[in-house]
Amino acid sequence: MGEANNVIDRESLSAHIAEVVEELCAHARLGPGKLLVIGASTSEVAGVRIGTGGAEDIAESLYRGIETVRMQYGFDVAYQCCEHLNRALVVERKVLDRLRLTEVAAVPVPKAGGSMAAIAYRHCSEPCLADTIEADAGIDIGETLIGMHLRRVAVPYRPTRRFVGQARVTAAWTRPRLIGGERAVYALPRIESGDIGTCD
């Protein structure tokens, strides 16, 4: 289980979320050019119902841990806002431009956007909001529902550390859709003879 609200150690939060992100990196093969979406309820981390007790100091600790791993692996991060901003995402403008995302106009604050998005926005060198994305992987801290921002097909991933503070943590990475039927091949076959078959 998570830690009790009154004994949450901010340094532990940074270390614990960094552990989750690094573990996911290995499975999702996150690196330069890849995009990770983060959904986080700082209320849930603190042990209260989502949307009722946002805390910027908790968001700051989470951001610090995520950023430590991001700098090491070189992937990009998108931070999901709450439903008051229609779950738009905080990204760097270079990410928005590279992926040709649709920009929307707002500045996330704790009461409209959420503490995590507000902190991420302040830390970006050139912050902006994207309407939607298709991320390569995602981490959901506190059951905020990030599935709408993942590429198809999402593969659920259960990190070793299941809680950060009091918040349950789930994750996912994505893979290309497998297409075709019973004759479809998903890896280049070794050719042992001249007969490789044809498609009529």
Side-chain angles (χ1 to χ4, degrees):
M1 280 294 291
E3 303 161 73
N5 182 29
N6 59 356
V7 294
I8 289 177
D9 174 58
R10 302 302 188 255
E11 291 304 317
S12 292
L13 291 180
S14 294
H16 291 169
I17 192 56
E19 179 185 323
V20 172
V21 176
E22 188 146 21
E23 186 178 326
L24 181 61
C25 279
H27 291 271
R29 297 179 180 161
L30 294 178
K34 299 293 186 176
L35 183 62
L36 172 69
V37 61
I38 299 285
S41 167
T42 57
S43 299
E44 293 281 337
V45 173
V48 296
R49 185 171 54 84
I50 189 170
T52 63
E56 290 183 84
D57 59 333
I58 289 175
E60 186 72 46
S61 296
L62 295 174
Y63 181 87
R64 194 164 57 247
I66 295 163
E67 186 66 6
T68 298
V69 183
R70 186 203 66 77
M71 291 174 64
Q72 179 182 352
Y73 286 86
F75 55 84
D76 294 305
V77 183
Y79 289 89
Q80 179 181 266
C81 296
C82 72
E83 72 275 12
H84 296 100
L85 292 186
N86 296 329
R87 303 205 185 280
L89 303 117
V90 177
V91 294
E92 290 281 5
R93 181 160 297 282
K94 65 181 181 179
V95 174
L96 183 111
D97 292 342
R98 186 184 86 232
L99 299 177
R100 303 183 69 181
L101 303 173
T102 300
E103 185 175 3
V104 290
V107 174
V109 294
K111 294 293 185 185
S115 295
M116 189 76 249
I119 288 296
Y121 193 92
R122 284 188 229 155
H123 278 289
C124 285
S125 58
E126 196 176 353
C128 56
L129 293 189
D131 184 40
T132 187
I133 60 169
E134 292 185 356
D136 300 288
I139 297 174
D140 190 331
I141 308 163
E143 300 175 333
T144 66
L145 301 179
I146 60 167
M148 64 190 289
H149 295 306
L150 290 171
R151 289 180 186 273
R152 296 177 65 189
V153 175
V155 180
Y157 180 71
R158 304 290 188 263
T160 303
R161 179 172 294 284
R162 297 311 310 276
F163 285 84
V164 171
Q166 289 281 339
R168 181 180 292 276
V169 177
T170 56
W173 52 277
T174 63
R175 63 159 176 79
R177 288 184 295 153
L178 303 178
I179 62 170
E182 63 183 17
R183 293 197 297 177
V185 174
Y186 301 109
L188 191 63
R190 293 183 54 166
I191 305 302
E192 303 294 344
S193 69
D195 182 16
I196 61 172
T198 59
C199 187
D200 298 326

